[in-house]
Amino acid sequence: MPQQNNDEALRISEELNVSMLAAQILCARGFKYEDARDFLSLDKEAFYNPLMLNDMKKAIDRIKLAVNCKEKITVYGDYDADGITATYILYDYLKSLGADVSYYIPDRIEEGYGMNTSAIDTLNSRGITLIITVDVGITAVDEVDYASKLGIDVVITDHHTLKEVLPNAVAVVNPKIPAAGYPFDALAGVGVAFKLIYALSGLDESIFDRYCDIAAVGTVADMVPLTGENRYIASVGIEKLKRTQNQGIKAILQVAGLNPDSITSTDISFGIAPRLNAAGRMSHAGQSVELLLEKDAQSAYRKALKLDECNRLRQAEELKIYNEALSIISQDNLENDSFILVAKDEWAHGIIGIVSSKLTEKFYKPSAVVSINKDGTGKASGRSIRGINLVDALSSCSGELIRFGGHELAAGFTVKQGRIDEFRRAINMHIQPLLTESVSIPSLDIDSVIELKDLTVDTFNSLKVLEPYGIENKVPTLCINDLMIESVRYTQNGKHAFLTVSNGHVTKELPAFGMADEAKCYSQGDYICVAGNLNINEFRGNLRAQFIVRDIHPADTTKMVSRAELAAIFTDIKNNISRKMMNFDDESTISLSPVKKLNINNPKIQTALKIFEELNIINTDTHGASLRICEGINFHLKNDLLQSETYRKYSSK
């Protein structure tokens, strides 16, 4: 729970004209007054001069020369939404200048990510003399040298992490290059491409306005931090999306059932981006570029329908692979591994990353999904949790891998089929000691505490100043304390719960989607605390605020136990049990540390014993004032605490 700086929050609220709740959320996130002022202002000064980027002047000069001399230019992009939007922006702008320009996006399955010599050969056969990369290229040292030998110049624009050696290109434009001192290093690939065309235009504001909506789509879709320059691009671009002239985006909004007047970053993440991505996952990303380039509304709608169908196929294939992965995990008893690794022949390369994300979310552990090709190599996509750097983990067992790369929380690698088991052992050995209690238990960072009476449309609207939401600017997580459960109802499929709660003055129904099991730990009359997000439900034109529950805790925190406390209590029992039995009387204590002893009647001890009994680790019975503990059938086995209803109810998070 955050400690509120009420004086600072009051100043932010009064001087920046925002609600006290919005001000408290900013303070909980570490903002001082000056930080909050800059965050909320959305001043154009947040959009830095693109000429500050490394090699931008060199890039402009070479591109202008190619345009003026009618050289054949290719924009070389990537197959995700960031790369697709970046390809569109640069290609469309160069086309408007009269350039002889084409675009090239590699096939995800046949070519994989980034530049490759086969593609360069193809472009050379077409007479291309200048390649401009977008969202790729920063590690293409050999490929750029190969292109140079063929007489093809390369301009790199990318945002990915640098390696020790940069490509020997005509220009390398990347905000992460430290020598240039660019003040914001977290631009998306489309953000870098957007800066390039803005610089090419001579900082023409009409060019900024023409493409900022597409830049916002790619920025939000690529899950870069929505702070600083990205926040400015996303904010201004989302406003432009509400009146976009791009027929492709209009068509996607139509098939997705999204209202342009109220579009948000969430709509981009779950409505627009999946459909743009679907082509690259199930077919070829060029379909999405063509949709964005389409000028005719009817043709755009037909193309959007095809992407929508691709997305449906992607969802079906994703569910199939996910269920197969769960089956493998169950059959091979992998759920207790520190790193969950599943592999199977010919899983769709474009979907395994999504499945890995779902596995990591379900088990709250790092995971990877490997698709084994016919040549015996496995291509994998992995995801991690906060506190476990996936690239570091892969690096620790790189001897088992052909190649790897990525970021702290998402990475990919290639491994020979015959080395998968060795790799599994190696990475589990690396990660196991890192899964400490603070890392392995999912937690919610609470931004502020509210009351039931605050669940109004006005409260929701007062928080819009914090939008757009995304990475490093998440939807506010709010907490409501001391609520009594009046009733709980469940959906027919048994997945969702709706809790009717009261604080004695106000009664509300709170949806808890996907939390039926958690809700069943509680009964009518129980007092709880809930954490979640404030949302708006629109039905037949009527707006109603609702609180989406994401976590439930008992209001009585004295019974809460952590994994460390449970381990200490169990160790004490294990060390002291005699002839498979131990007895406690009213004066008995269990030691939690060399200096701390808790009476057997302590609520934490009672909770721990109940958890152990539910898991059949121990058996207990009472004889008068005495408690007798015996070994259960699982006493010497490894147990999953989450199988205990009491643990799920009283575990510390």
Side-chain angles (χ1 to χ4, degrees), residues 625-644:
S626 297
L627 173 71
R628 184 171 64 178
I629 298 177
C630 307
E631 288 186 11
I633 59 174
N634 293 329
F635 188 84
H636 297 284
L637 301 179
K638 188 173 183 179
N639 292 275
D640 182 4
L641 291 173
L642 292 174
Q643 297 302 312
S644 163

Side-chain angles (χ1 to χ4, degrees), residues 300-491:
Y301 183 71
R302 288 193 293 270
K303 290 176 179 178
L305 285 176
K306 289 182 180 179
L307 288 190
D308 193 55
E309 179 59 25
C310 273
N311 193 46
R312 293 179 193 278
L313 293 173
R314 186 271 304 171
Q315 291 170 328
E317 187 68 13
E318 175 190 322
L319 181 60
K320 173 178 170 288
I321 295 174
Y322 178 66
N323 286 333
E324 289 174 353
L326 290 179
S327 179
I328 292 171
I329 291 168
S330 176
Q331 290 172 10
D332 296 347
N333 298 314
L334 302 177
E335 59 270 13
N336 291 323
D337 283 4
S338 299
F339 182 88
I340 295 177
L341 176 70
V342 290
K344 190 176 179 181
D345 294 345
E346 301 297 328
W347 272 337
H349 291 178
I351 294 175
I352 56 177
I354 306 174
V355 174
S356 180
S357 292
K358 294 180 72 172
L359 294 177
T360 291
E361 181 180 0
K362 178 177 177 62
F363 296 101
Y364 202 69
K365 294 178 181 179
S367 73
V369 179
V370 185
S371 174
I372 301 171
N373 300 326
K374 293 177 181 178
D375 64 2
T377 61
K379 289 191 174 182
S381 187
R383 299 294 184 268
S384 192
I385 59 176
R386 184 166 53 179
I388 303 290
N389 188 311
L390 188 52
V391 171
D392 287 350
L394 293 173
S395 181
S396 74
C397 42
S398 59
E400 308 296 339
L401 303 175
I402 298 172
R403 66 181 67 90
F404 70 93
H407 307 286
E408 180 177 350
L409 298 179
F413 60 89
T414 305
V415 59
K416 290 183 179 179
Q417 184 176 8
R419 304 300 297 172
I420 289 176
D421 288 340
E422 285 299 321
F423 169 70
R424 187 198 310 276
R425 279 190 283 273
I427 198 165
N428 269 278
M429 286 180 63
H430 174 84
I431 288 179
Q432 193 276 329
L434 303 178
L435 282 177
T436 60
E437 181 175 10
S438 61
V439 170
S440 62
I441 297 179
S443 62
L444 287 175
D445 296 323
I446 304 299
D447 290 304
S448 191
V449 178
I450 61 172
E451 303 287 341
L452 280 182
K453 64 180 177 61
D454 298 321
L455 303 185
T456 66
V457 174
D458 286 344
T459 301
F460 177 84
N461 288 337
S462 77
L463 299 182
K464 286 185 175 181
V465 296
L466 304 177
E467 295 180 359
Y469 298 127
I471 302 299
E472 293 188 17
N473 185 42
K474 63 185 179 64
V475 177
T477 300
L478 306 171
C479 180
I480 311 176
N481 293 320
D482 299 320
L483 301 175
M484 187 188 77
I485 297 178
E486 292 192 350
S487 64
V488 183
R489 65 181 180 89
Y490 301 94
T491 54

Side-chain angles (χ1 to χ4, degrees), residues 19 21 450-464 478 480 506-510 533-537 542-548:
S19 70
L21 178 58
I450 61 172
E451 303 287 341
L452 280 182
K453 64 180 177 61
D454 298 321
L455 303 185
T456 66
V457 174
D458 286 344
T459 301
F460 177 84
N461 288 337
S462 77
L463 299 182
K464 286 185 175 181
L478 306 171
I480 311 176
V506 179
T507 300
K508 294 280 187 181
E509 184 178 70
L510 311 181
N533 312 118
L534 188 58
N535 202 352
I536 289 293
N537 181 33
N542 295 317
L543 300 180
R544 182 173 63 87
Q546 62 181 7
F547 189 84
I548 310 296

Side-chain angles (χ1 to χ4, degrees), residues 469-591:
Y469 298 127
I471 302 299
E472 293 188 17
N473 185 42
K474 63 185 179 64
V475 177
T477 300
L478 306 171
C479 180
I480 311 176
N481 293 320
D482 299 320
L483 301 175
M484 187 188 77
I485 297 178
E486 292 192 350
S487 64
V488 183
R489 65 181 180 89
Y490 301 94
T491 54
Q492 283 188 332
N493 61 12
K495 293 182 179 180
H496 313 300
F498 292 81
L499 293 80
T500 300
V501 298
S502 172
N503 61 5
H505 305 285
V506 179
T507 300
K508 294 280 187 181
E509 184 178 70
L510 311 181
F513 299 117
M515 296 186 64
D517 289 343
E518 289 86 344
K520 287 174 183 176
C521 295
Y522 301 89
S523 304
Q524 183 179 8
D526 283 353
Y527 281 84
I528 60 171
C529 304
V530 294
N533 312 118
L534 188 58
N535 202 352
I536 289 293
N537 181 33
E538 182 175 355
F539 182 68
R540 294 179 178 175
N542 295 317
L543 300 180
R544 182 173 63 87
Q546 62 181 7
F547 189 84
I548 310 296
V549 176
R550 294 181 59 198
D551 196 20
I552 311 171
H553 270 318
D556 180 7
T557 59
T558 63
K559 296 181 180 180
M560 306 290 285
V561 289
S562 66
R563 283 179 180 262
E565 288 171 323
L566 287 171
I569 294 169
F570 178 70
T571 298
D572 196 84
I573 293 173
K574 191 174 182 180
N575 290 339
N576 288 281
I577 204 163
S578 176
R579 293 191 302 273
K580 299 189 177 182
M581 183 182 299
M582 63 189 297
N583 293 285
F584 296 97
D585 57 30
D586 283 342
E587 302 303 318
S588 295
T589 59
I590 290 181
S591 172

Side-chain angles (χ1 to χ4, degrees), residues 148-340:
S148 181
K149 290 177 182 177
L150 296 177
I152 302 174
D153 284 344
V154 181
V155 169
I156 301 288
T157 78
D158 199 356
H159 72 120
H160 289 99
T161 302
L162 315 175
K163 291 196 174 179
E164 291 182 6
V165 179
L166 294 178
N168 188 26
V170 172
V172 181
V173 183
N174 187 317
K176 288 184 171 62
I177 296 175
Y182 191 73
F184 186 75
D185 69 355
L187 286 169
V190 70
V192 181
F194 187 41
K195 305 287 284 193
L196 174 62
I197 66 166
Y198 188 54
L200 281 166
S201 74
L203 311 188
D204 186 339
E205 289 302 313
S206 70
I207 297 303
F208 180 96
D209 186 64
R210 187 196 307 177
Y211 293 103
C212 67
D213 52 352
I214 308 300
V217 169
T219 296
V220 173
D222 206 47
M223 299 182 69
V224 290
L226 286 192
T227 58
E229 197 165 21
N230 287 338
R231 174 173 165 79
Y232 183 81
I233 293 171
S235 298
V236 175
I238 288 171
E239 283 303 308
K240 174 69 186 301
L241 271 176
K242 296 176 181 179
R243 59 184 192 283
T244 185
Q245 297 305 303
N246 185 283
Q247 296 299 331
I249 293 294
K250 283 184 175 181
I252 290 180
L253 294 175
Q254 188 176 354
V255 299
L258 296 173
N259 181 0
D261 295 333
S262 58
I263 194 167
T264 66
S265 56
T266 302
D267 295 324
I268 294 174
S269 297
F270 295 99
I272 300 175
R275 288 168 172 83
L276 290 177
N277 277 323
R281 297 186 192 281
M282 305 302 295
S283 179
H284 194 281
Q287 294 180 36
S288 293
V289 179
E290 289 302 310
L291 172 64
L292 296 177
L293 290 168
E294 183 58 63
K295 306 299 182 185
D296 179 74
Q298 291 185 344
S299 295
Y301 183 71
R302 288 193 293 270
K303 290 176 179 178
L305 285 176
K306 289 182 180 179
L307 288 190
D308 193 55
E309 179 59 25
C310 273
N311 193 46
R312 293 179 193 278
L313 293 173
R314 186 271 304 171
Q315 291 170 328
E317 187 68 13
E318 175 190 322
L319 181 60
K320 173 178 170 288
I321 295 174
Y322 178 66
N323 286 333
E324 289 174 353
L326 290 179
S327 179
I328 292 171
I329 291 168
S330 176
Q331 290 172 10
D332 296 347
N333 298 314
L334 302 177
E335 59 270 13
N336 291 323
D337 283 4
S338 299
F339 182 88
I340 295 177

Side-chain angles (χ1 to χ4, degrees), residues 49-60:
N49 189 323
L51 294 173
M52 297 170 67
L53 282 161
N54 187 78
D55 281 356
M56 181 61 88
K57 180 70 165 56
K58 292 181 182 178
I60 292 171

